[in-house]
Amino acid sequence: MPGPIQSIERAAAVLRLLASGARRMGVAELARALDLPKPTVHGILRTLQLVGFVEQSPDTGKYQLGAALFHIGSSYLDGNELRTRALNWSDSLASRSMESVRIGTLHENQVLVVHHVFRPDNSRQVLEVGALLPSHASALGKVLLANDPVGLTDDEPLKAYTAATITDPDVLGDALEQVRQRGWAADVEELVEGEVSLAAPIRDRRAVTVGAVGISGPVERLCDADKQPRTDLVSYVREAARSISRELGAIPW
């Protein structure tokens, strides 16, 4: 049997380092960490950049993982499979919260709604399957961005939808770090005035975030008197996310 191909091993080492280390790294940093000559690392990075596996910042010249690599990593689980695995739990979440439920995945830095359960009150509602939501202004999007190794690039302007929308990249970065730490996200009138949404990540057996599940409704129902998300509703959303993740093999018990 032929032995391993050295160039592929080195490329894999570069990708692993970019995935586990700092958000962006330069050629010299990577070369030192991998104990490889800088010209060798530069050649690997140029090749990976050509196929979309890494991206280079035009301002700093440093590299980060590319969107193509992220989409390949999660491509085995498409929206239809995610929806199928989540059907029972999303229906249960709608019944417990008495609010509409949406499940979404990242699609070109937006949130693609792959499943939508109506609010169980027989009111007139519009099916949102296939809709695209802005990732920076929705709870679903914040969860997905917080767990995306690529995320939004610095040259993408953040559009304001209401006075509460986060449009400063640094402020958004702090908000996403908070989402990572606490395990859920909220948008309070950031996308639609008077509307709130709460969401939590759905993970697969590799602990990769492959989607997000959340509820949405009017601020007077989803928030308390201080305009903070109701803790009971946050718990319902997180429990649903854990249950769906368990269906995907992320939690073995």
Side-chain angles (χ1 to χ4, degrees):
M1 294 292 291
I5 300 174
Q6 187 182 62
S7 60
I8 295 179
E9 285 186 323
R10 289 176 171 179
V14 169
L15 293 174
R16 281 196 297 268
L17 191 56
L18 288 175
S20 61
R23 191 164 184 79
R24 292 187 178 93
M25 299 182 71
V27 174
E29 295 173 273
L30 288 163
R32 282 196 302 271
L34 298 172
D35 195 23
L36 291 173
K38 285 197 290 186
T40 299
V41 173
H42 187 246
I44 292 171
L45 287 168
R46 286 187 61 189
T47 303
L48 292 173
Q49 186 178 9
L50 284 173
V51 296
F53 286 2
V54 301
E55 297 172 355
Q56 185 180 28
S57 168
D59 298 324
T60 66
K62 293 188 175 183
Y63 293 85
Q64 66 178 17
L65 293 180
L69 183 66
F70 176 73
H71 292 305
I72 286 175
S74 59
S75 62
Y76 85 97
L77 183 70
D78 62 18
N80 289 328
E81 184 177 354
L82 181 58
R83 176 182 178 276
T84 299
R85 300 292 186 93
L87 281 175
N88 291 337
W89 302 111
S90 54
D91 287 346
S92 175
L93 177 58
S95 297
R96 295 184 74 188
S97 66
M98 296 303 294
E99 302 295 346
S100 64
V101 174
R102 292 180 295 198
I103 293 176
T105 60
L106 269 184
H107 176 71
E108 296 181 353
N109 284 330
Q110 298 182 89
V111 180
L112 173 65
V113 178
V114 299
H115 186 49
H116 179 209
V117 181
F118 284 161
R119 184 174 61 253
D121 62 1
N122 297 319
S123 62
R124 182 180 292 273
Q125 299 172 64
V126 177
L127 187 65
E128 297 182 23
V129 173
L132 291 171
L133 307 175
S135 55
H136 70 286
S138 62
L140 290 172
K142 289 181 186 179
V143 165
L144 295 168
L145 287 179
N147 293 280
D148 181 3
V150 179
L152 293 172
T153 59
D154 294 338
D155 57 354
E156 295 177 45
L158 302 177
K159 179 181 177 181
Y161 294 89
T162 71
T165 306
I166 298 175
T167 56
D168 185 319
D170 292 333
V171 175
L172 179 62
D174 291 341
L176 297 181
E177 179 58 33
Q178 184 181 42
V179 170
R180 278 189 289 271
Q181 292 178 2
R182 69 186 183 184
W184 60 276
D187 86 74
V188 180
E189 300 186 279
E190 295 177 42
L191 182 57
V192 179
E193 290 184 4
E195 185 172 297
V196 174
S197 63
L198 311 172
I202 298 171
R203 297 186 171 96
D204 67 5
R205 62 180 178 273
R206 304 164 299 167
V208 172
T209 297
V210 293
V213 58
I215 62 174
S216 59
V219 63
E220 59 267 21
R221 289 207 303 260
L222 270 67
C223 288
D224 58 23
D226 296 324
K227 227 174 183 180
Q228 296 299 309
R230 284 172 44 191
T231 56
D232 59 329
L233 295 179
V234 171
S235 295
Y236 295 162
V237 171
R238 297 189 72 187
E239 288 172 16
R242 284 194 293 270
S243 297
I244 299 169
S245 297
R246 188 177 293 112
E247 289 279 343
L248 297 173
I251 306 172
W253 57 85

